[in-house]
Amino acid sequence: MKRKITLKDIAKELDVSISTVSKALKNSNEIGFDTREKVQAFAKLYNYKPNNIAVSLQNSRTKHIALFIPEIVHDFFTTVLKGVEEVAHKNGYNVLVCVSNESFEKEVLSMEMFARGGIVDGFIISLSKETQLKEDYNHLIEIENQGMPLVMIDRITDKVISDKVIVDDMRGSYTAISHLINQGRKRIALITTEDYISVGSLRKKGYKKALADHDIELDERLILTINNIEDSDKAIEKFIRETTFDAVMGVNDVFAVVAMKALQNQGKKIPEDVAIIGFSDGKLLKYAAPTISAVNQHGDEMGKAAAQMLIDRLESDKEAENYKTTVITTTLIEREST
Amino acid sequence: MKRKITLKDIAKELDVSISTVSKALKNSNEIGFDTREKVQAFAKLYNYKPNNIAVSLQNSRTKHIALFIPEIVHDFFTTVLKGVEEVAHKNGYNVLVCVSNESFEKEVLSMEMFARGGIVDGFIISLSKETQLKEDYNHLIEIENQGMPLVMIDRITDKVISDKVIVDDMRGSYTAISHLINQGRKRIALITTEDYISVGSLRKKGYKKALADHDIELDERLILTINNIEDSDKAIEKFIRETTFDAVMGVNDVFAVVAMKALQNQGKKIPEDVAIIGFSDGKLLKYAAPTISAVNQHGDEMGKAAAQMLIDRLESDKEAENYKTTVITTTLIEREST
DNA sequence: TTGTATGCGTTATCAC
DNA sequence: GTGATAACGCATACAA
């Protein structure tokens, strides 16, 4: 194990003091030109890099940020990660990823360990399903009490005051449904998640508002609420067998694509018989046959925005407050299914 | 900013020395029972957690590992990340993710910074395309020279000696093609990447060997090499327009699904007219219509294996050597397209 | 212009 | 049993 070279090593080798080396490497003009040259040359030669740990201990900042996502195998969160990583690296920060797997416990334990251990400087989190169900946000509040910046993204809660990045879920949904209505669709179904999932509930609201604004009566039988993701496929198939409609929106990509398959199996033509729209920025809808229209959430933009907000907090010495909520605008991607 | 509580704080509060507190918290029986109780109670009350940075500085181990992936918006790497994260956390390690974006430069710079800065204890890496093209692996060799463990995964190189986790690409491809042949397919096309991508070239080998072993003459015109991922869609469509075959394998999920769509647009029935098979563990093939058969690479297993190998190296004090290559077996998932 | 001393929070060694 | 001290690698206030 080739030990890493330290200031001390350079100092000894060049027969100067450690602090001289330290200053020389910072090009401080406290140090004579010759010494500076000499030290810098030597450091370059031996490829000296300051030990991050020591620097961190010194100023108690790790230059690491944590990103908590509920589930990685989900195009949306993947793009969020990509966005976060990009902005973080650009600003000299590293990203620690924690996949909560929708588990409250993992979210809480990991968060506490990251926070109290001084492992990261701040957090970006998209809440786990379980957390949203329990409505227990003490771990987040605790983070803030410790003075650590926190940015919530996508799956958020109003119970915690912090910076937030969301998408205009309600509006996106509203626009999509309006689009379907304007195309002449009358009976529009919705496949959604249970209400405790913040985004699902907002999308349902947008759906309802669009219907109301266009004087279409709400028919609760056209709304399918998936409570168990495991057998969502079966639930959707059953729903489609038993319900008739001429358009359907899924609050994510899988719901939309599963619905389409079920409809096709029933001999329905897409989009002639039934129009379909989903939520996603991923490949699933883009490569479906026919391609499926989507409300694009711009996960990468959200990730970038969140990272930037967090870093701004970290770099500013103001005592925080005046928390902001950034709303990323969804865009409707029209494809063959509508 | 509520300062975090330290040993010193506890010591002062309880009027004992810092080292007493330190030992008491470790339940050392050097310390009297009463003092231990008292200290531990106090620590629990104030939720004391040792400062990781200080501990790291002490023993020069961060308990962080870096995962380098070329591209995150790719189901395979996503599942790898999931696997790595799971095993890492189980063993008390955190995962720093770096997305190289297929860029040699980003790979090298990030790697050096992680290594020389003492930010992580070890690396798991899947090489960027550019790195494989340049065949410049000095950064990896440098890592090893510094005595830091390195595990290469999936996109690897023989030029660097280290622990490796791969999938039996050649065999997976061989099995898939043989399967097609046994079904009576005669003209089997292959959509692949350029040879410098290690896995692409292996999959092509498996393809060729399967043909040879079944006495089918190789027709180079049935092989499409995608050199620019950007316009792969167009290249595939053109290929399909100009070439006739009764089966096709794509070396990833996108190639397979794009091929299917192009074929369907031509009025071909899947699988009656043309059988299709892809490489992937993601949703894209699973939710296609018809569902597409796949060589499952088990990204999560690979990730888990890689993380375990790395951690084993880190926790063992042996002077390394005897590097291992773990081969994860692919499995053929038969779906509707074959 | 350079060097000394101190501290960041721990752990470990050694003395009391 | 308990505590003082040094050390990890660096930065910085303060001497010289």
Side-chain angles (χ1 to χ4, degrees), chain B residues 17 19-20 23 30-32 35 58:
Chain B
S17 80
S19 40
T20 301
K23 286 170 191 163
E30 261 183 73
I31 304 297
T35 331
Q58 183 73 219

Side-chain angles (χ1 to χ4, degrees), chain A residues 21-55:
Chain A
V21 177
S22 173
K23 288 170 189 162
L25 287 176
K26 299 206 134 40
N27 224 335
S28 156
N29 42 8
E30 261 183 70
I31 304 297
F33 188 74
D34 291 352
T35 329
R36 254 188 282 171
E37 288 275 270
K38 192 175 57 174
V39 170
Q40 287 175 11
F42 190 91
K44 173 152 289 172
L45 182 61
Y46 285 91
N47 208 334
Y48 168 81
K49 286 271 163 38
N51 179 324
N52 249 277
I53 309 289
V55 176

Side-chain angles (χ1 to χ4, degrees), chain B residues 26-128:
Chain B
K26 297 205 136 41
N27 225 332
S28 156
N29 42 8
E30 261 183 73
I31 304 297
F33 189 73
D34 291 353
T35 331
R36 253 188 283 170
E37 289 273 271
K38 192 174 60 173
V39 171
Q40 288 175 12
F42 189 91
K44 173 152 287 172
L45 181 63
Y46 285 91
N47 209 333
Y48 167 81
K49 286 269 163 35
N51 180 325
N52 250 278
I53 309 289
V55 176
S56 287
L57 184 57
Q58 183 73 219
N59 56 207
S60 47
R61 310 182 74 245
T62 61
K63 287 280 208 170
H64 293 341
I65 63 181
L67 172 64
F68 279 67
I69 50 184
E71 184 52 80
I72 180 96
V73 191
H74 209 311
D75 288 330
F76 170 67
F77 291 119
T78 296
T79 52
V80 167
L81 166 54
K82 190 179 161 70
V84 169
E85 203 261 359
E86 190 180 320
V87 170
H89 274 214
K90 209 165 277 169
N91 288 275
Y93 282 80
N94 297 123
V95 182
L96 287 175
V97 176
C98 178
V99 184
S100 70
N101 273 320
E102 306 286 14
S103 150
F104 174 74
E105 193 188 350
K106 181 161 185 203
E107 185 177 299
V108 172
L109 291 180
S110 301
M111 207 145 191
E112 283 183 345
M113 142 182 193
F114 281 158
R116 310 210 67 98
I119 295 175
V120 299
D121 296 338
F123 293 86
I124 298 176
I125 183 172
S126 199
L127 296 172
S128 83

Side-chain angles (χ1 to χ4, degrees), chain A residues 16-17 19-20 23 30-32 35 58:
Chain A
V16 291
S17 80
S19 53
T20 302
K23 288 170 189 162
E30 261 183 70
I31 304 297
T35 329
Q58 182 74 217

